[in-house]
């Protein structure tokens, strides 16, 4: 995906503050943090949003959950964190490459805004 911002981060064409990386997944600090800890966990494969996941992607989705767990441990988020996946523009998605927000170290409200 030539014009996709997160594909460019995956290919290191755009710099990011990377906190986790393996063959399939990358994690980096959000450029406009909405909490003291705000990390994005992203499959390297270009998937537009949650509605575009295919059968072959299910394993890596599970691995993303494991990576989120590991980041939470490494960053000492045991007091709590929120995982958000904005899906489609009306839900707040602005980058159309699937990503999981990890937000932590402040109080969160429910229902979310
Ligand atoms: P969403 O609105 O759910 O699609 O989330 C996109 C997120 O990407 C936002 O929280 C942005 O602040 C973040 N973002 C945009 N550009 C960059 C970038 N170059 N590096 C890191 N995060 C970014
Ligand atoms: Zn992409």
């Amino acid at each position: 995906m030539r014009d996709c911002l997160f594909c460019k981060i995956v290919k290191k064409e755009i710099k990011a503050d990377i906190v986790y990386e393996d063959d399939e997944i990358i994690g980096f600090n959000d450029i406009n943090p909405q909490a003291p800890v705000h990390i994005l966990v992203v499959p390297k494969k270009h998937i537009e949003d949650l509605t575009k996941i295919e059968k072959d992607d299910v394993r890596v989705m599970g691995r993303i959950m494991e990576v989120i767990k590991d980041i939470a441990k490494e960053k000492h988020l045991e007091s709590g964190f929120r995982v958000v996946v904005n899906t489609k523009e009306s839900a707040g998605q602005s980058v159309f490459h699937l990503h999981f927000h990890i937000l932590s170290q402040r109080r969160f409200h429910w229902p979310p805004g």
Side-chain angles (χ1 to χ4, degrees):
M1 279 289 157
R2 238 181 322 123
D3 293 327
C4 172
L5 178 64
F6 289 172
C7 283
K8 287 181 177 166
I9 288 176
V10 166
K11 288 186 276 179
K12 311 277 163 73
E13 291 171 10
I14 289 178
K15 216 170 145 29
D17 188 8
I18 295 169
V19 300
Y20 177 85
E21 184 166 18
D22 65 31
D23 288 352
E24 299 177 306
I25 297 164
I26 191 163
F28 49 89
N29 285 315
D30 197 291
I31 207 168
N32 183 23
Q34 300 302 311
V37 172
H38 188 170
I39 294 166
L40 302 176
V41 182
V42 180
K44 288 188 170 180
K45 177 184 172 187
H46 182 87
I47 302 169
E48 199 175 300
D49 64 45
L50 268 187
T51 71
K52 298 287 171 25
I53 286 173
E54 294 168 0
K55 264 270 175 288
D56 281 355
D57 303 321
V58 169
R59 188 190 49 81
V60 77
M61 291 302 116
R63 286 228 44 251
I64 285 175
M65 294 302 113
E66 201 173 29
V67 166
I68 289 171
K69 183 191 94 169
D70 291 346
I71 290 174
K73 185 164 186 214
E74 193 197 311
K75 301 286 179 189
H76 305 289
L77 309 183
E78 43 279 298
S79 66
F81 59 92
R82 182 171 284 182
V83 176
V84 174
V85 185
N86 296 320
T87 306
K88 309 288 183 190
E89 201 176 345
S90 67
Q93 187 175 7
S94 61
V95 176
F96 294 90
H97 179 137
L98 180 61
H99 51 281
F100 293 70
H101 298 256
I102 304 174
L103 299 140
S104 188
Q105 311 298 51
R106 72 164 168 83
R107 195 84 204 161
F108 295 101
H109 303 289
W110 195 263

